[in-house]
Amino acid sequence: AAARLLAARDDDRGRVDYAYRVALGRRPTSPEAEIALRFIRSAGDQAPTEVWGRFWQVLLATLDFRFLD
């Protein structure tokens, strides 16, 4: 998923938007996008596929996937 995301968009903001649309079916709010970009940029010298892979995991752990019957 991370490699596909890296190939799909050229910039981090575009990647965040794309990941939100694929994983959650919506665009991120402005605060969500800023938090996501800080997360991505704080990775330092980690491999991009590792960082974006972790970002996918974060998206899948969001409240959007939790519900009550």
Side-chain angles (χ1 to χ4, degrees):
R4 187 176 342 139
L5 177 61
L6 288 166
R9 299 290 185 270
D10 292 331
D11 66 313
D12 289 343
R13 177 58 193 236
R15 291 176 180 136
V16 168
D17 286 345
Y18 179 81
Y20 262 82
R21 281 183 281 153
V22 169
L24 305 178
R26 64 177 179 83
R27 296 186 71 184
T29 64
S30 185
E32 287 172 333
E34 290 305 316
I35 291 168
L37 290 170
R38 277 187 296 191
F39 173 79
I40 296 301
R41 293 173 183 157
S42 71
D45 61 349
Q46 294 179 28
T49 53
E50 182 73 23
V51 176
W52 286 101
R54 287 190 180 137
F55 181 67
W56 279 112
Q57 291 174 353
V58 168
L59 285 179
L60 295 175
T62 62
L63 289 175
D64 293 64
F65 284 99
R66 298 178 193 177
F67 62 92
L68 299 172
D69 287 330

